[in-house]
Amino acid sequence: MDKFYVTTPIYYVNDKPHIGHAYTTILADVLARFHRSLGDDTFFLTGTDEHGQKVEKAANARGVSPIDHCNETVVRFQELWEKLGITNDFFIRTTQDNHVGVVQNVLQALYDKGEIYKAEYSGWYCVGDERFFTEKDLVDGKCPECGREVTEIMESNYFFRMGKYREWLIDYIQTHPDFIQPAFRANETLGFLKKELGDLCISRPKSRLAWGIELPFDTDYVCYVWFDALLNYVSAVGYLRRDEDFRRWWPASCQLIGKDILTTHTVYWTTMLKAMDIPLPKTIFAHGWWLTGDKKMSKSLGNVVNPMDMIARCGVDAFRYYLLAEMSPGNDANFTEDAFVSRYNSDLANDLGNLLSRVNKLTLRATGGTIPSPGTFEDADREFEAEVSAAAAAMPVCRAEVKLDQGIAAVMQAVRAGNRYIEKTAPWALIKSGNTERLNTVLFLAADALRRIAVLLQPVMPTKMAELAAAIGYPNGDIGTIDRISAPSDIAGRKMTETAGLFPRIQVEATPVAPVSAKKEPKKKPEPSSCDPIAIDDFAKVVLKAARVLAAEAVPDSKKLLKLQIDLGDEKRQIVSGIAETYRPDDIVGKTIVVVANLKPAVIRGVESNGMLLAAGHGDKIRLATLDGDIRPGERIG
Ligand code: MSP
């Protein structure tokens, strides 16, 4: 049995939870559910960050004590997580006595070891970010992180000797490729470490800020909120209190964060652990941002998406599905209601919902609901079975690499293959002609595919997949665990029950054609044609780059697909392309081609494709777009 310990950042208790917070927490939840389903010993931690200036200010403004303010606001997170079906094993609040005790013990131990010292300090302070900056960090005299005003401060403070770990940290990152993921975030950290690394100011004089954990060796000071907050990851699992628990869970398997807090985790946190003689987490994974309308969500722009509103509109599972399917975690993603509705209607209502409803109706009609045992398999059956097995094989790989969007895409491919299989084998005609043996095979395979799809999507949509499971004969939705997905099926003989639509279509609101007209027409997205001009800004969204083909090979069991390894200048990538009827692998190696470099990754026939090459033509008459003359791989085209 393996161990899996996953964490989210602890959120500022003051904030109103939005889809950014929801995303990290749902991602952690899905990973935890997957691991539990595999039988792994799993611990999932989330919580709230409750000290610091912002909380103190907000409490003062309301005329309540900081702890009362925290007690009132923490509920917003706790209620949301409950609503979203989050299965955290513990919810840490940094105001809990146990956590406070651990922080004080760590501070004292580091002070005793000479890792913390007192010095005179002058610097620029940003209240919003609760961080100090040096004069040269500032951008136009303002905070380099958020652009707000900074205040000059001169005072005595305590410092953690972070700077001395610079070389060690560089070496650690370079020799542990799994440590910071995705890999380009490791490069970002290494870039940060190129500059000199200063020591970290870890105290605030009480005269300026009282709401924090008191330093055990100087009661005139409280602890810097980040130093306190980061320690939650170890205090929650028994550090310095319950040795056995601590050994059971630490080091964490996966610490999920947003890209906004990369440095605090990959530099502050890791050097703190080093000073404390504690091993580092296996992986720190930084995902991108959710944007709305291509902009960062912010209260002042009024574009913050409230998860509660989305849940009320479309249900918890569809919301969880959308966030995970839409974001490829390395990159930013854009939230729009249109994109949400269109993905819901196509993936869930049309594809998955439709597959269940067809199989359900056909089985009820053919056998009164009992799922039959199969007869002999034909080519169409084997091909369909292979598509479902490809999804089952892709999901664990994608899960391990925190590429759940790609795992989900692979499952959706199997769902679509299911609908094609039903069309091809036409069970309604088999019912009519009385070809029972063939009919039994088709109904069995389709129902069994639904079983495997439900197991794969269960961590993402626990409630809906339990409903699906119940509809195909697993009472209470008890469909089994992922480790049994490829075991011989136990579905034959089970009884389907009539099911209402699993995912009712969301009706797109009709919009008036013209303000004066009462007539309503549905919104249509016109197909672009060469006569429909687009703005240069729209074109600029597509990043076209020159790439050199380093290696190529056929994708097994496919006539059309080649798998290419390409050089994009500062990175190597794999893409899959449907050019095999024209180009043999040897024809294409060494060519410089044109690639769409910012396309969302996809899994094609179980193979990951990270970009798309440009070509014209079909079948055996395809011609690649190439560049006229020598050009460096990675050069932008446009
Ligand atoms: N309290 C600190 C973290 C301390 S961890 C020891 C903090 N809190 S926060 O409330 O600002 O939450 C930050 C986290 O919320 C991000 O790292 C990210 O996981 C999530 N998100 C907040 N806004 C986000 C988006 N717009 N998009 C995606 N996730 C973001 O920083």
Side-chain angles (χ1 to χ4, degrees), residues 8-13 15 18-25 48-50 54 77 225-226 228-233 256-262 264-265 287-292 295-297 327 332-333:
T8 72
I10 47 171
Y11 305 107
Y12 288 126
V13 72
D15 288 352
H18 57 63
I19 61 163
H21 306 119
Y23 175 73
T24 320
T25 315
T48 40
D49 190 351
E50 306 198 350
K54 275 187 278 187
F77 283 93
V225 67
W226 267 102
D228 150 10
L230 287 161
L231 286 167
N232 91 88
Y233 301 130
L256 293 173
I257 56 169
K259 66 177 184 182
D260 47 331
I261 53 176
L262 184 72
T264 46
H265 281 77
H287 62 71
W289 269 338
W290 275 97
L291 310 172
T292 38
K295 297 205 174 64
K296 195 173 175 212
M297 275 183 285
M327 178 180 264
D332 292 345

Side-chain angles (χ1 to χ4, degrees), residues 483-506:
D483 53 334
R484 290 202 60 255
I485 194 163
S486 297
S489 173
D490 63 350
I491 202 166
R494 287 181 181 267
K495 189 108 173 132
M496 288 243 181
T497 42
E498 196 167 346
T499 165
L502 195 60
F503 297 104
R505 263 187 91 75
I506 299 180

Side-chain angles (χ1 to χ4, degrees), residues 18-178:
H18 57 63
I19 61 163
H21 306 119
Y23 175 73
T24 320
T25 315
I26 293 172
L27 182 59
D29 183 62
V30 171
L31 294 176
R33 285 176 185 263
F34 264 119
H35 281 271
R36 289 191 200 109
S37 175
L38 286 166
D40 292 344
D41 195 18
T42 302
F43 195 84
F44 164 19
L45 176 71
T46 189
T48 40
D49 190 351
E50 306 198 350
H51 291 122
Q53 199 146 6
K54 275 187 278 187
V55 172
E56 188 175 69
K57 264 188 150 179
N60 285 345
R62 293 183 53 217
V64 297
S65 72
I67 190 63
D68 284 347
H69 179 69
C70 292
N71 289 342
E72 283 170 38
T73 48
V74 68
V75 181
R76 295 194 289 222
F77 283 93
Q78 289 169 331
E79 280 177 358
L80 179 63
W81 300 158
E82 203 178 321
K83 196 131 210 168
L84 281 172
I86 301 299
T87 56
N88 54 302
D89 294 288
F90 187 59
F91 187 98
I92 188 157
R93 300 181 53 187
T94 51
T95 46
Q96 282 157 352
D97 288 347
N98 284 335
H99 173 77
V100 171
V102 170
V103 172
Q104 290 186 318
N105 287 339
V106 170
L107 285 165
Q108 187 66 54
L110 293 181
Y111 185 68
D112 294 345
K113 271 168 69 173
E115 294 279 349
I116 289 175
Y117 64 94
K118 192 174 187 184
E120 189 67 27
Y121 177 81
S122 104
W124 297 87
Y125 186 67
C126 171
V127 179
D129 288 324
E130 306 201 18
R131 284 176 68 180
F132 277 105
F133 298 96
T134 61
E135 180 94 43
K136 66 177 180 344
D137 290 333
L138 304 183
V139 177
D140 298 332
K142 304 240 166 77
C143 171
E145 292 289 328
C146 66
R148 279 176 284 201
E149 296 292 336
V150 285
T151 330
E152 189 171 23
I153 280 176
M154 235 191 183
E155 62 196 18
S156 284
N157 262 315
Y158 287 88
F159 291 83
F160 162 53
R161 293 189 194 280
M162 182 165 78
K164 70 175 183 183
Y165 293 113
R166 178 174 161 268
E167 310 255 292
W168 162 82
L169 183 54
I170 292 174
D171 181 63
Y172 190 91
I173 295 171
Q174 283 171 339
T175 51
H176 294 78
D178 283 346

